[in-house]
Structure formats: structure tokens, C-alpha cells
């Protein structure tokens, strides 16, 4: 047999793909190569099959050629990547040429007469080697391009840190205003880069950590503004300095955490082993019980008993708490005791099954014992969940009244240091209760991303509590200071915002526990241009009165019904992880919050809350449109045109909602009209989303079915229109190589997407 056009290569193919953009770019290439390799060997090959093979091979070669040209341009602009990128591009081009040569099969007559020529039919091993080399080299190019994105984030962080140092050292208002303006612009750039990175990450734990760090930066930006201004106004005030230093420290920690996530570095703090949550312990315990059932290891009984004791020990966070009622404590202890008894019986049944000559009866007894043990463990999880959720719900109700915060503000404004000290003790106790509630929720969170969010909430309450107290002390020392009063207000708002986040977290944990998918949507919107200028004035928050709520009732009811209809439609999707499902769930949930606002209930208390929610909903709606556009690019169905029309409506409505939410208003009548307009537009958005979902689900199933049925190259070839050549899109030739990254490389796989859709 003649030698393969692609020789052996030591190229490293063990590359881990960490972002969705890299993964999505590789999909069409993997699909076409798989089609080439997995064709069925048949003695007779039709002209259409041969034409299909030739067309796929040439399309792969052309797309790889363009792809490599972009990679080489990236290498020329980034000297530190030049050697690695050059080697990867060389390997990719070599593999692409090899595939083109192997798939140059000509006609059936030529194939029979020219028996000595190497083709995909005569050298299957050569095709496999070329395919492997191509995939590894293309992946290497994409991963190297991804490093450029990481470098951009690091450079942006470094700029922010330099400006942050300057802000910390300023001594005049004029200098502060100038530097803070620069800081705001740099934070906007950093926000956009990290936001894109967060959405692109595949690892849900990293996404949750990134969301937490970005949330800290968002909230701390406003705190930094008022804390710095207070310190400049009262330079000799120790409590003002403490307040300001805490904000700067927290921002630096958040910036460092972002870099740790994108570079996968390990900080000293991260080397510490965090205590395992109870839900993880239960998962490990049940896994060991399954191993025991399968009789995998003779040492399993001791492992199972040890795991149960460790699990029971962790329930002490619940039973030792002074805030756990006697009835709750007894219920937890009783379930723990029952779990111990059932586990002992299960171990005894396992030993009996090992020794018994009546294998069938012994196995049945073991099965019953396993089921009882799993049930008692599930009962323990349910009891702990009830305690954690009940405690958190009660705390949110109590803290929702803001009694201690209002008292602190009043005492500070009066200059009453004794009263400030008294109410500070009250706030500290509330903080400790909330911190403990976060810890309990962490135990029952149900997923690792939610566990990370619980830890973030715990840290936030732990930090903001003392910051509120130091701000109140500053105001008490300078009761006539407007900036000290504004500073205290900002920290109180941050506390209230975290309470709202905790309520959302509670809902997600309940969703996971009850078998519904927890919504993984961060309601985050980091600083936008002009939002954090040095002379920022906060718009006045307004609550709807009873008459306005009544007039809104009908509109709100329509919103609730539409939200329910969307949720029902989403339950019909087989792929609950699909981007369209997740983003539609997010939009529906926010619309439901707006409905609750019309009733004077829920998390949105004021019109400002509503307008902010409307703005975030519009952004999520636009993200949904982007996902729809990507989804539609894969389809060639007639119904696609209908969806495009509806999608354009959705884009227009989301933009209308966004502009309306940002538009300034004055006076109660104008505010009410803005509320009415926001809810009406949201209702229209929900109507369009509801019309899009059934068609999208149908087309998605059809698309999946067609791809699954692509079992052989010949079958695929019979469905092709052999007369339709691969389009050579002019947009594929990109002469401007500025700002290259993974996205610019994605465009150069378009040829494969076009071929795949035919």
C-alpha cells in the first residue's frame, strides 16, 4: 500500500477546551471529518457518493486554508505566540492538504482503473491520522487565540489597579473627580471583557465564581465613590478611613479573583480545603451504597458507616445553632438516628448476603435494606432543607422591614453616638443570623454553582455589616455632612440589594430541591458609561399606591398568565440546558417579578427596582435574540422565515424597553406612565417569546433527528444536491487582522456550516 500523505506527528492533542466559543467553532469541522471517516464500506460506490466525498474533502481543505491564514496573521501580531501558533498552523495546513488528496476520488470508473492511487477508500488509516492531526492542530490554534482574550483581561485589570492606587492616594476633590472619571471608563472596559468571558466559560463553577466577583465590583464601585468623597471631606475621621479602606480592599480581592479564574491560578486561600456541604456528603454516601449493592469491595461497609458518621457530624451546624428551635433539633436528631439504624441493618444484610447459601433471598433482603437507607437519608435532606429554607424566609421577612437600618440612619443624623452603638449591636446580630443562614443554605444548595453563590452571599453580609456601622459612626460624628449621609445610604442600599439576591438564591435552591431546574442567570449589569460620574445624583425611588396598583392589576395578570404559559412551553423541551430554554426561563422569571410588583409584592419594592429589572430583562431578551440568530443559522426549513420576522419584533421590543427604562422622568404622573409603558412592553415581549418557543422546539427536534439519522456517507450523499457547489463567501477573506481572537477564527469555518446545512 502506498504511504499516507500525512505522516506521523508528535503534535500534542491533549488540549482541554474551556470555552463555548472554541467548542462551537470545532463542531462543523468535527461533523464533516466524522462523516468522512465513518462512511460504510460498500463494493459499489455511486457517483453521488464519490461527489459528496470529494465536495466535503475540498470544503474542509478550503476552510482550513482560510483558518490557517487568520492564525498566521494572529501569530505575526503577537510575537510571544509566534512559534507555537506557526507550528500549529503548519500542522493544520498539512493535515488539510492530506484530507484534500485522500478525498480526490474522481469518478467511479477512475477509481476502478487507478487502483494504485491512495484515497480514503484504500488508506483509511491515513485518513484517521490526518483527521486527528487536523483536529488537534485547529484546537491548538483556537486555544492559543483564546490566550489573547485572557491577556486583554489581564491588561484591563492592571489598568484598573493602577488607577485604583491613584484614587486611594488623592488629596483633593478636583484630582479625585478627574481620576474617578478615568476609573469609570476602565471599569466599563473590564466589565465588558469579563462579562463576555463569563458567558463563554463551560465550567459552571467558574461561571458562578466570576459572577460573584463581578457582583462585588458592581456594588463596590458606588461605595468607592461615596466612601472616598466622605474621607476627603473628613480627612481626620478614623471611621471614614476604615470605611474607605474596606471598600478598596474588597475591590482588589474581587479583581484578583477574576484573574485567578481566567488564568486558572491558585491563590493561597484557595489551597485551603473547604468543608464539604451536606448535599455533597449525601451524594457520596448514596454512591457508596450503590457500590455496596453491587458487591464491588469487601471494605465498603466500613466506608459507608464512616461516611454516615461524617455526614451526621456536619448536621451539627443545624442542631448546635441557638436559632434552631427545640422541635427542629429533635426532628433532625431523630432522622439521623433512624439513618444510623437503617445503615447498620443494610451492612448486616450485606454480610448475610456474602455468607448465605440462599443467594436470592439474601439479595432481596439487601435490596430492601438499601431502599430503606436511601429513604432515611432523603428524609434527612428534606428535614435539613426545611429548616434552612424556613430560617432564611423568616430572616428575609424581618430584614425586609429595615428597622435597624432606619434606626441607624436616624441616630447618625442626630449625632447620637450611644444610639448608633446600640443599633449597631442589633445590626451585628442580624448579620450573624444571615451569615449562618447562608451557611445552612450552602449545605442544602443542591448544585456546586449555587453552593458558590451561598458562600458569596455569606462573605458579602460579613463585610457589609461592619461597613454600614463605620458609615453610621462617621455620620454621627458629622451629622450635618451631606456626603456622610449619602455614604451611609449607599451601604444600606447594598445591604438591601444583597437581601434581594438572597431571595433569588432561595428560589433557585427550592427549584433544585423540588426537581425543577435552578435558573442559572446572574442579574448583573456592571457599570455603564456615565453611570458612575463623580457628581452622580440618585433618582428618587417611588412606590405605587393602592389606586395605581388597582389600575395595573389587569395588565399584571396578563403578564402572570404569559409567564406561566412560557414556563409550560419550556417544560416540553427535551434539552433543558439549551441556551434558548435558559434565556427564556430568565425572561419569564423577571416578567413574573414585574407582575408581583403590580400587586405590591415580591422583591421589586420601588419603581427604581422595576426600571432596573426592565433594563436587565431587555438585555436578557437581546441575548435570547442572539441565541435565536445562531440557532436559525443552522436551519434551512421554510418556517425559518416566520421565526426571523418574530425575532426582529423581539429585538425592536427589547430595544424599546431598554430605552424606556433608561429615560429620565420627573413627577408622579410621568413615573406612573413609565411604569405602565414598561409593563406593557414586557407583556408584548412575552407574547413574542411564547410564539417563538413551540416553533423553535419543533425545528430543534427536527434538526437533531436529521443529524442523528446521518448514519453513513452514502445516505448523506443521496440527500445532497450534487449540482450545488460550496459557496465561496467573500466575507471569508479578512484582510484586516486587527483585534483577532477566537471570534475572528470562528468566521473562517463558515464554509463547513454552509455545506452542513445543505
Amino acid at each position: 500500500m502506498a504511504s499516507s500523505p500525512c505522516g506521523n506527528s508528535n503534535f500534542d492533542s491533549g488540549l482541554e477546551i474551556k470555552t463555548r466559543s472554541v467548542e462551537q467553532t470545532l463542531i462543523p469541522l468535527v461533523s464533516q471529518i466524522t462523516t468522512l471517516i465513518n462512511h460504510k464500506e460498500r463494493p459499489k460506490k455511486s457517483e453521488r457518493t464519490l461527489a459528496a466525498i470529494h465536495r466535503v474533502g475540498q470544503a474542509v481543505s478550503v476552510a482550513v486554508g482560510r483558518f490557517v491564514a487568520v492564525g498566521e496573521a494572529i501569530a505575526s501580531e503577537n510575537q510571544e505566540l509566534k512559534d507555537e501558533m506557526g507550528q500549529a498552523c503548519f500542522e493544520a495546513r498539512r493535515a488539510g492538504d492530506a484530507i484534500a488528496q485522500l478525498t480526490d476520488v474522481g469518478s467511479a470508473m477512475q477509481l476502478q482503473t487507478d487502483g494504485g492511487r491512495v484515497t480514503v477508500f484504500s488508506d483509511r488509516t491515513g485518513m484517521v491520522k490526518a483527521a486527528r492531526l487536523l483536529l488537534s492542530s485547529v484546537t491548538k490554534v483556537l486555544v492559543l487565540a483564546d490566550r489573547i482574550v485572557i491577556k486583554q483581561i489581564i491588561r484591563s485589570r492592571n489598568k484598573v489597579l493602577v488607577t485604583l492606587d491613584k484614587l486611594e492616594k488623592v488629596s483633593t476633590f478636583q484630582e479625585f473627580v478627574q481620576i474617578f472619571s478615568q476609573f469609570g471608563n476602565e471599569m466599563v472596559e473590564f466589565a465588558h471583557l469579563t462579562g463576555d468571558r463569563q458567558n463563554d466559560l463551560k465550567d459552571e463553577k467558574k461561571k458562578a465564581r466570576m459572577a460573584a466577583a463581578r457582583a462585588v465590583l458592581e456594588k463596590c464601585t458606588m461605595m468607592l465613590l461615596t466612601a472616598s468623597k466622605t474621607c476627603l471631606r473628613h480627612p481626620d475621621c478614623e471611621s471614614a478611613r476604615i470605611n474607605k479602606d474596606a471598600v478598596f480592599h474588597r475591590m482588589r480581592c474581587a479583581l484578583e479573583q477574576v484573574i485567578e479564574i481566567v488564568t486558572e491560578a491558585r491563590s493561597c486561600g484557595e489551597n485551603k480545603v473547604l468543608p464539604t456541604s451536606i448535599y455533597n456528603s449525601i451524594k457520596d454516601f448514596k454512591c457508596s451504597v450503590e457500590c455496596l449493592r453491587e458487591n464491588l469491595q469487601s471494605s465498603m461497609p466500613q466506608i459507608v458507616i464512616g461516611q454516615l458518621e461524617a455526614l451526621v457530624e456536619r448536621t451539627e451546624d443545624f442542631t448546635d445553632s441557638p436559632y434552631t428551635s427545640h422541635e427542629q433539633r429533635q426532628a433532625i436528631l431523630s432522622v439521623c438516628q433512624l439513618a444510623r439504624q437503617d445503615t447498620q441493618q443494610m451492612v448486616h444484610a450485606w454480610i448475610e448476603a456474602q455468607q448465605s447459601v440462599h443467594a436470592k433471598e439474601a439479595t432481596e433482603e439487601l435490596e430492601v435494606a438499601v431502599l430503606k437507607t436511601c429513604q432515611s437519608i432523603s428524609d434527612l435532606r428534606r428535614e435539613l432543607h426545611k429548616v434552612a429554607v424556613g430560617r432564611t424566609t423568616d430572616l428575609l421577612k424581618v430584614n425586609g422591614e429595615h428597622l435597624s437600618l432606619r434606626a441607624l440612619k436616624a441616630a447618625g443624623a442626630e449625632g447620637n453616638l450611644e444610639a448608633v452603638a446600640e443599633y449597631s449591636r442589633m445590626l451585628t446580630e442580624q448579620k450573624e443570623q444571615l451569615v449562618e443562614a447562608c451557611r445552612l443554605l450552602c449545605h442544602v444548595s443542591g448544585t456546586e454553582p449555587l453552593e458558590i453563590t451561598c458562600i458569596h452571599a455569606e462573605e458579602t453580609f460579613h463585610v457589609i455589616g461592619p461597613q454600614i456601622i463605620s458609615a453610621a459612626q462617621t455620620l454621627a460624628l458629622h451629622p450635618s455632612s451631606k456626603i456622610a449621609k449619602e455614604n451611609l445610604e449607599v451601604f444600606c442600599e447594598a445591604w438591601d440589594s444583597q437581601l434581594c439576591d438572597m431571595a433569588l438564591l432561595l428560589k433557585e435552591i427550592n427549584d433544585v430541591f423540588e426537581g425543577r431546574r435552578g435558573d442559572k442567570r446572574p442579574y448583573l449589569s456592571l457599570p455603564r458609561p456615565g453611570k458612575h460620574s463623580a457628581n452622580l445624583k440618585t433618582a428618587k425611588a417611588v412606590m405605587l399606591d393602592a389606586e395605581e396598583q388597582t389600575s395595573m392589576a389587569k395588565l399584571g395578570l396578563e403578564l402572570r398568565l404569559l409567564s406561566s404559559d412560557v414556563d409550560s412551553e419550556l417544560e416540553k423541551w427535551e434539552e433543558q440546558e439549551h441556551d434558548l430554554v435558559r434565556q427564556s426561563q430568565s425572561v419569564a422569571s423577571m416578567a413574573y417579578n414585574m407582575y408581583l410588583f403590580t400587586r405590591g409584592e415580591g422583591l421589586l419594592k420601588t419603581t427604581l427596582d422595576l426600571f432596573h429589572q426592565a433594563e436587565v430583562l431587555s438585555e436578557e431578551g437581546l441575548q435570547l435574540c442572539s441565541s435565536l440568530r445562531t440557532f436559525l443559522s443552522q436551519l434551512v426549513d421554510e418556517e425559518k422565515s416566520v421565526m426571523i420576522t418574530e425575532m426582529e419584533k423581539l429585538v425592536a421590543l427589547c430595544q424599546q424597553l431598554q430605552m424606556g427604562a433608561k429615560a429620565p422622568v420627573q413627577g408622579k404622573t410621568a413615573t406612573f406612565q413609565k411604569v405602565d409603558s414598561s409593563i406593557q412592553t414586557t407583556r408584548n415581549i412575552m407574547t413574542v417569546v411564547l410564539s417563538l418557543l413551540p416553533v423553535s422546539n419543533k425545528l430543534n427536534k427536527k434538526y437533531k433527528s436529521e443529524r442523528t439519522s446521518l448514519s453513513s456517507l452514502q445516505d448523506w450523499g443521496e440527500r445532497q444536491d450534487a449540482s450545488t457547489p460550496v459557496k465561496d463567501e467573500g466575507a471569508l477573506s479578512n484582510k484586516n487582522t486587527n483585534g483577532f481572537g477566537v471570534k475572528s477564527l470562528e468566521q473562517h469555518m463558515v464554509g463547513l456550516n454552509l455545506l452542513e446545512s445543505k
Side-chain angles (χ1 to χ4, degrees):
M1 181 181 290
S3 63
S4 167
C6 183
N8 293 331
S9 171
N10 295 323
F11 192 83
D12 175 28
S13 60
L15 297 167
E16 183 185 356
I17 298 172
K18 300 180 177 66
T19 57
R20 296 185 190 278
S21 56
V22 171
E23 186 177 66
Q24 292 301 313
T25 305
L26 288 170
I27 286 175
L29 181 62
V30 172
S31 175
Q32 298 300 335
I33 289 177
T34 303
T35 300
L36 286 173
I37 292 174
N38 292 343
H39 71 277
K40 291 182 180 178
E41 294 289 352
R42 295 183 181 178
K44 187 176 180 181
K45 301 167 181 67
S46 70
E47 291 290 345
R48 285 198 174 187
T49 298
L50 295 175
I53 291 172
H54 179 73
R55 190 160 61 251
V56 173
Q58 294 305 307
V60 169
S61 178
V62 170
V64 169
R66 295 178 180 130
F67 179 87
V68 166
V70 178
E72 288 170 344
I74 291 174
S76 67
E77 293 184 357
N78 297 270
Q79 289 300 313
E80 69 277 14
L81 299 178
K82 188 172 183 179
D83 292 340
E84 283 185 276
M85 185 72 87
Q87 176 66 14
C89 289
F90 171 77
E91 298 285 8
R93 193 186 295 278
R94 188 157 66 96
D97 291 343
I99 288 173
Q101 184 178 335
L102 287 165
T103 55
D104 187 14
V105 291
S107 66
M109 184 67 69
Q110 289 173 326
L111 194 63
Q112 290 174 0
T113 58
D114 193 5
R117 189 157 58 87
V118 177
T119 68
V120 64
F121 300 111
S122 62
D123 190 7
R124 188 181 182 85
T125 302
M127 174 58 79
V128 171
K129 286 182 179 178
R132 284 178 177 168
L133 177 60
L134 180 59
L135 287 175
S136 65
S137 55
V138 168
T139 304
K140 180 77 170 180
V141 172
L142 289 167
V143 170
L144 289 171
D146 192 54
R147 284 192 202 168
I148 297 170
V149 178
I150 294 172
K151 281 175 57 182
Q152 287 176 335
I153 294 174
I154 293 172
R155 280 198 299 266
S156 179
R157 187 283 307 256
N158 291 342
K159 286 198 295 184
V160 169
L161 275 179
V162 170
T163 311
L164 199 62
D165 289 341
K166 292 179 182 176
L167 272 177
E168 194 171 19
K169 296 170 183 174
V170 297
S171 56
T172 66
F173 272 102
Q174 184 178 2
E175 187 183 6
F176 174 80
V177 169
Q178 182 181 355
I179 297 175
F180 190 85
S181 176
Q182 177 188 343
F183 175 76
N185 292 331
E186 291 170 353
M187 280 297 293
V188 167
E189 178 193 356
F190 188 72
H192 290 319
L193 289 171
T194 54
D196 290 343
R197 189 68 181 180
Q198 178 184 322
N199 292 330
D200 200 21
L201 287 169
K202 288 175 62 183
D203 189 315
E204 292 296 337
K205 290 195 294 182
K206 289 179 183 175
K207 288 180 82 166
R209 289 185 64 220
M210 181 74 88
R214 294 179 73 239
V216 170
L217 293 171
E218 176 186 13
K219 292 172 183 175
C220 280
T221 300
M222 179 54 79
M223 296 178 194
L224 184 144
L225 172 63
T226 56
S228 297
K229 286 166 67 178
T230 304
C231 217
L232 285 170
R233 182 62 54 86
H234 309 289
D236 298 326
C237 183
E238 180 66 14
S239 57
R241 186 191 59 76
I242 291 171
N243 184 261
K244 171 191 160 184
D245 289 349
V247 176
F248 275 88
H249 175 72
R250 196 158 186 240
M251 285 200 81
R252 287 192 176 97
C253 289
L255 289 166
E256 191 60 34
Q257 182 172 324
V258 169
I259 300 305
E260 288 170 13
I261 295 165
V262 298
T263 61
E264 300 194 316
R266 289 287 183 270
S267 66
C268 297
E270 210 174 320
N271 289 330
K272 296 186 295 185
V273 179
L274 295 173
T276 308
S277 64
I278 290 176
Y279 93 87
N280 266 329
S281 299
I282 288 175
K283 192 164 59 175
D284 293 343
F285 177 80
K286 286 187 173 181
C287 181
S288 297
V289 168
E290 287 298 321
C291 292
L292 193 68
R293 172 191 271 164
E294 299 297 329
N295 193 25
L296 296 180
Q297 299 178 29
S298 60
S299 61
M300 284 308 297
Q302 290 74 26
I303 294 173
V304 169
I305 292 172
Q307 285 178 327
L308 178 66
E309 290 307 315
L311 195 162
V312 169
E313 185 179 344
R314 291 188 185 98
T315 63
E316 291 174 2
D317 283 350
F318 290 78
T319 55
D320 290 355
S321 169
Y323 306 110
T324 302
S325 69
H326 176 71
E327 292 77 11
Q328 290 172 332
R329 186 176 293 108
Q330 288 302 117
I332 294 170
L333 292 173
S334 297
V335 180
C336 286
Q337 186 58 33
L338 179 62
R340 280 196 180 103
Q341 292 172 2
D342 289 340
T343 302
Q344 289 290 351
Q345 289 176 4
M346 179 185 66
V347 170
H348 179 71
W350 183 84
I351 295 171
E352 287 290 320
Q354 296 291 313
Q355 300 171 350
S356 176
V357 292
H358 305 290
K360 184 178 180 182
E361 292 81 354
T363 303
E364 288 176 354
E365 287 181 15
L366 175 60
E367 186 65 26
V368 170
V370 165
L371 292 173
K372 285 183 66 179
T373 301
C374 289
Q375 182 59 49
S376 59
I377 288 297
S378 296
D379 291 342
L380 175 59
R381 183 191 172 200
R382 187 176 296 104
E383 193 64 41
L384 296 175
H385 178 86
K386 184 169 72 174
V387 172
V389 168
R391 172 87 56 77
T392 306
T393 303
D394 292 342
L395 280 173
L396 289 173
K397 285 179 182 176
V398 171
N399 282 273
E401 297 173 2
H402 306 301
L403 296 179
S404 57
L405 293 183
R406 284 205 294 264
L408 259 178
K409 290 180 198 175
E414 293 169 1
N416 190 337
L417 284 167
E418 290 183 4
V420 166
E422 180 184 344
Y423 294 126
S424 294
R425 284 191 291 271
M426 286 176 55
L427 183 67
T428 300
E429 185 177 352
Q430 288 178 352
K431 178 208 73 176
E432 293 300 330
Q433 291 179 15
L434 287 165
V435 165
E436 185 186 79
C438 292
R439 202 170 295 135
L440 299 187
L441 284 177
C442 186
H443 275 307
V444 300
S445 53
T447 70
E448 288 182 320
L450 288 178
E451 182 180 350
I452 289 167
T453 308
C454 290
I455 293 169
H456 164 66
E458 178 185 340
E459 291 171 349
T460 301
F461 283 121
H462 191 74
V463 171
I464 290 183
Q467 287 179 315
I468 291 174
I469 292 170
S470 61
Q473 290 169 344
T474 303
L475 179 59
L477 291 169
H478 308 278
S480 61
S481 173
K482 289 183 180 179
I483 184 56
K485 186 177 181 181
E486 181 188 354
N487 188 46
L488 176 58
E489 190 67 42
V490 165
F491 281 95
C492 290
E493 286 174 3
W495 176 277
D496 188 44
S497 173
Q498 189 56 47
L499 289 174
C500 291
D501 290 347
M502 195 173 182
L504 288 171
L505 175 61
L506 186 64
K507 178 185 180 301
E508 293 183 359
I509 290 172
N510 265 325
D511 284 347
V512 171
F513 181 78
E514 292 170 11
R516 300 190 298 271
R517 186 67 190 169
D519 298 332
K520 296 177 290 186
R521 53 183 185 280
Y523 294 136
L524 303 175
S525 53
L526 282 170
R528 296 288 186 264
K531 185 176 178 182
H532 295 296
S533 59
N535 57 354
L536 180 69
K537 300 259 185 187
T538 305
K540 187 179 179 183
V542 180
M543 298 182 70
L544 294 185
D545 58 28
E547 183 181 347
E548 289 168 338
Q549 285 176 18
T550 303
S551 65
M552 282 284 170
K554 181 176 181 297
L555 197 56
L557 182 60
E558 291 179 35
L559 208 53
R560 184 184 74 82
L561 293 173
L562 284 166
S563 298
S564 299
D565 290 342
V566 168
D567 286 336
S568 300
E569 199 59 51
L570 289 170
E571 288 174 3
K572 299 175 185 177
W573 282 64
E574 295 173 359
E575 295 179 77
Q576 289 296 305
E577 285 295 320
H578 200 289
D579 285 344
L580 298 184
V581 174
R582 291 190 299 105
Q583 288 160 348
S584 298
Q585 283 175 337
S586 178
V587 170
S589 178
M590 287 186 270
Y592 185 77
N593 283 343
M594 294 172 76
Y595 150 70
L596 290 177
F597 174 83
T598 65
R599 294 172 53 87
E601 301 172 2
L603 302 171
L604 309 178
K605 304 298 184 185
T606 69
T607 52
L608 278 183
D609 295 336
L610 179 77
F611 299 148
H612 177 69
Q613 183 79 105
E615 192 175 339
V616 178
L617 187 148
S618 67
E619 291 173 359
E620 190 73 12
L622 291 171
Q623 286 289 328
L624 175 60
C625 292
S626 177
S627 298
L628 277 166
R629 194 171 287 110
T630 303
F631 173 66
L632 291 176
S633 69
Q634 303 169 350
L635 307 177
V636 290
D637 201 281
E638 292 176 0
E639 292 174 90
K640 178 177 174 179
S641 59
V642 179
M643 287 191 66
I644 289 173
T645 304
E646 290 298 299
M647 186 181 70
E648 288 171 352
K649 284 186 193 174
L650 185 57
V651 171
L653 287 168
C654 289
Q655 290 172 343
Q656 179 185 336
L657 181 63
Q658 195 171 53
M659 289 187 291
K662 291 179 177 179
V665 291
Q666 288 186 342
K668 188 173 181 181
T669 303
T671 301
F672 177 70
Q673 288 173 348
K674 183 176 174 180
V675 169
D676 182 68
S677 174
S678 297
I679 294 177
Q680 284 197 44
T681 308
T682 302
R683 178 196 61 187
N684 296 337
I685 286 172
M686 293 298 293
T687 303
V688 176
V689 170
L690 185 60
S691 70
L692 282 166
L693 285 173
V695 185
S696 301
N697 192 15
K698 176 184 172 184
L699 293 177
N700 187 48
K701 287 179 180 177
K702 183 178 178 182
Y703 177 65
K704 278 181 63 183
S705 175
E706 287 177 352
R707 291 196 58 152
T708 305
S709 64
L710 196 62
S711 59
S712 73
L713 181 59
Q714 184 168 5
D715 294 338
W716 178 84
E718 294 295 334
R719 290 198 299 272
Q720 301 303 303
D721 180 1
S723 63
T724 305
V726 179
K727 293 182 182 178
D728 186 6
E729 297 289 329
L732 293 175
S733 58
N734 190 338
K735 295 180 181 178
N736 179 11
T737 60
N738 292 329
F740 274 128
V742 174
K743 289 186 179 179
S744 62
L745 288 166
E746 286 174 12
Q747 297 171 0
H748 293 77
M749 286 295 171
V750 169
L752 295 177
N753 278 318
L754 287 170
L755 182 63
E756 190 173 22
S757 67
K758 290 190 183 300

